[in-house]
Amino acid sequence: MATIDDLLRGIREAGEAPFRSAIAIPNRAYNSQDLFDLEAEHLFRRGWTMIARVEQAPTPNSYHSVDLLGELLVMTRDKEGVLHVFSRVCPHRGAELLQGSGKTRAVVCPYHAWTFDLAGQCRGAPLMDDLDGFDRQAHGLRPIRHEVWNGFVFVNLDGAAPPLTARLKPLDEALADCELSNLVVVKTLDWGEVPYDWKVIAENSMECYHHHGVHIRSIGKLFPANRSWTVDDTADYLLTYSEPDPDEFDRVDGVQTVVDAARIVTVFPYGHFTARPTGGTFLQVLPVAAGRSRVFSHMMLTKAAAQAPGLEELIASRLVRTRQILGEDWAICEKVQAGALTTQTHAGRLSSFEHPLWLFYRYYARALPTGAAPLALD
Ligand code: FES
Ligand SMILES: [Fe+2]
């Protein structure tokens, strides 16, 4: 049985291997709660996690709940339309205030009926007036540090990470034609809590090397690995270009269609989306425990397409594609997770088309306490 020290040693080796000698991390890394606890602390609480799109709280007085590593969060828009992220735990005695998404002018705690507006101010605290020094203004919802980048909402739970959006500036230029701020979520698929580690999903989503295997019946020939490449000038994110083979056609619909090149983006530790000038997919993966993740996929279209006639037909046809591709991905994630339950450990060699994984491991080995040497890039 691999100990946590064995795992950290294997992760360090993967993170320090030269590109032409790149190796995978140990398979037990996808099923170790000790390692997950380190990831929660060092990657997710100290880093920035992509939790939503701004349009999921679309109008004044709307809200959208997200659970992240046991934290109960809510994104709100106050009556002026300003976006906030709060803990949705009552500052009185800690009851969960609300769930899901919706619209309300006031959040009323189900326990003792303290009331809060969507800017987080405490507007009512019944029968507290006889106390010494009680000022309800001092008992608002607890704000969670957040930043918005091109419509994606990120949170930093420990409140101490370096600012994020400045570090994503190079992505703005690379994705300018995708107009990310102009996209809106038009359909969300809730895949529930899935029995795969967040890294199993993350690694699968990063590389195109699996296309000729996992996706051979869908997009494998249209988007082959050898027409993908990854930019490697940053330690903060991955940017992969995936171009269609011009001699292929859309095999899912069975008819020739013009298909744009895709940009596949991961902001470390794991905020992931794909984008094209016509829209994209935000794959929202919230780590729950070792080997367990909460997953949503959000279909995004341009605002113009979202308001054009025929929207429902467009969504329906894209859903066929999404369900097929993600269905193929989940099936292989299940098999990788099954391998992670065994004691077989070996450092598999990575192909050059798994370049994104090599870059991810360089980040991952340095975000965890593995003792990996700093990168010159840092
Ligand atoms: S716990 Fe919310 S009002 Fe008491
Ligand atoms: Fe895939």
Side-chain angles (χ1 to χ4, degrees), residues 182-197:
N182 191 37
L183 299 181
V184 287
V185 171
V186 293
K187 181 74 182 175
T188 293
L189 294 181
D190 180 351
W191 298 90
E193 188 175 306
V194 298
Y196 331 124
D197 195 75

Side-chain angles (χ1 to χ4, degrees), residues 319-342:
L319 270 186
V320 171
R321 162 64 59 90
T322 300
R323 284 206 166 95
Q324 177 168 8
I325 295 171
L326 286 180
E328 291 166 347
D329 284 322
W330 302 151
I332 199 63
C333 285
E334 190 175 329
K335 293 183 188 304
V336 175
Q337 192 68 46
L341 300 176
T342 73

Side-chain angles (χ1 to χ4, degrees), residues 100-167:
S101 304
K103 274 196 92 162
T104 186
R105 284 175 188 276
V107 178
V108 181
C109 179
Y111 203 170
H112 312 96
W114 286 26
T115 304
F116 308 89
D117 65 23
L118 292 198
Q121 296 288 312
C122 181
R123 294 293 180 187
L127 308 177
M128 298 287 284
D129 296 339
D130 61 330
L131 297 180
D132 293 336
F134 177 78
D135 174 8
R136 66 177 160 78
Q137 302 295 336
H139 296 271
L141 301 181
R142 190 169 70 84
I144 302 292
R145 187 174 175 220
H146 72 282
E147 287 192 25
V148 176
W149 174 77
N150 282 316
F152 291 102
V153 182
F154 291 79
V155 294
N156 166 229
L157 292 176
D158 83 350
L164 176 72
T165 48
R167 300 162 79 184

Side-chain angles (χ1 to χ4, degrees), residues 39-70:
E39 292 170 346
E41 182 59 33
H42 291 265
L43 277 65
F44 290 99
R45 289 186 177 277
R46 294 185 188 176
W48 290 96
T49 305
M50 190 189 276
I51 59 157
R53 288 280 304 177
V54 290
E55 65 271 17
Q56 291 178 289
T59 53
N61 295 321
S62 57
Y63 64 90
H64 177 71
S65 306
V66 178
D67 296 355
L68 174 63
L69 293 169

Side-chain angles (χ1 to χ4, degrees), residues 76-79 82 84 86 116-121 123 141:
T76 69
R77 253 185 221 280
D78 64 27
K79 64 180 176 14
V82 177
H84 305 265
F86 298 109
F116 308 89
D117 65 23
L118 292 198
Q121 296 288 312
R123 294 293 180 187
L141 301 181

Side-chain angles (χ1 to χ4, degrees), residues 221-222 224 227 243-251 256-257:
K221 290 187 174 171
L222 187 61
R227 292 186 68 83
E243 286 201 328
D245 183 334
D247 296 329
E248 281 293 325
F249 61 92
D250 186 331
R251 285 172 183 271
Q256 181 102 30
T257 56

Side-chain angles (χ1 to χ4, degrees), residues 8-299:
L8 291 175
R9 195 175 315 112
I11 291 164
R12 175 179 174 162
E13 285 169 14
E16 291 185 328
F19 176 54
R20 296 282 165 199
S21 306
I23 54 173
I25 59 174
N27 61 340
R28 295 293 293 194
Y30 307 103
N31 192 44
S32 162
Q33 190 58 39
D34 288 344
L35 181 61
F36 183 89
D37 292 343
L38 288 176
E39 292 170 346
E41 182 59 33
H42 291 265
L43 277 65
F44 290 99
R45 289 186 177 277
R46 294 185 188 176
W48 290 96
T49 305
M50 190 189 276
I51 59 157
R53 288 280 304 177
V54 290
E55 65 271 17
Q56 291 178 289
T59 53
N61 295 321
S62 57
Y63 64 90
H64 177 71
S65 306
V66 178
D67 296 355
L68 174 63
L69 293 169
E71 302 295 346
L72 306 178
L73 309 180
V74 65
M75 174 175 76
T76 69
R77 253 185 221 280
D78 64 27
K79 64 180 176 14
E80 314 294 343
V82 177
L83 198 86
H84 305 265
V85 181
F86 298 109
S87 164
R88 59 177 207 275
V89 171
C90 183
H92 175 222
R93 291 229 332 260
E96 181 179 10
L97 289 164
L98 76 174
Q99 295 183 332
S101 304
K103 274 196 92 162
T104 186
R105 284 175 188 276
V107 178
V108 181
C109 179
Y111 203 170
H112 312 96
W114 286 26
T115 304
F116 308 89
D117 65 23
L118 292 198
Q121 296 288 312
C122 181
R123 294 293 180 187
L127 308 177
M128 298 287 284
D129 296 339
D130 61 330
L131 297 180
D132 293 336
F134 177 78
D135 174 8
R136 66 177 160 78
Q137 302 295 336
H139 296 271
L141 301 181
R142 190 169 70 84
I144 302 292
R145 187 174 175 220
H146 72 282
E147 287 192 25
V148 176
W149 174 77
N150 282 316
F152 291 102
V153 182
F154 291 79
V155 294
N156 166 229
L157 292 176
D158 83 350
L164 176 72
T165 48
R167 300 162 79 184
L168 302 183
K169 268 269 174 278
L171 273 180
D172 288 332
E173 203 169 305
L175 298 168
D177 61 328
C178 297
E179 297 186 69
L180 296 174
S181 297
N182 191 37
L183 299 181
V184 287
V185 171
V186 293
K187 181 74 182 175
T188 293
L189 294 181
D190 180 351
W191 298 90
E193 188 175 306
V194 298
Y196 331 124
D197 195 75
W198 71 273
K199 297 188 297 301
V200 171
I201 303 171
E203 293 176 9
N204 179 67
S205 71
M206 290 171 187
E207 49 91 350
C208 299
Y209 183 54
H210 70 284
H211 286 191
H212 63 265
V214 166
H215 297 306
I216 194 61
R217 288 192 191 80
S218 56
I219 53 162
K221 290 187 174 171
L222 187 61
F223 287 101
N226 62 8
R227 292 186 68 83
S228 69
W229 70 97
T230 300
V231 176
D232 67 356
D233 61 351
T234 171
D236 296 310
Y237 59 81
L238 293 171
L239 170 61
T240 294
Y241 292 80
S242 178
E243 286 201 328
D245 183 334
D247 296 329
E248 281 293 325
F249 61 92
D250 186 331
R251 285 172 183 271
V252 169
D253 297 338
V255 292
Q256 181 102 30
T257 56
V258 177
V259 185
D260 302 312
R263 258 57 61 83
I264 306 169
V265 177
T266 300
V267 179
F268 297 145
Y270 189 55
H272 183 86
F273 65 91
T274 58
R276 301 184 174 87
T278 52
T281 301
F282 164 27
L283 183 63
Q284 185 178 16
V285 178
L286 301 163
V288 173
R292 301 201 73 79
S293 309
R294 185 82 171 85
V295 179
F296 304 86
S297 61
H298 306 282
M299 183 191 303

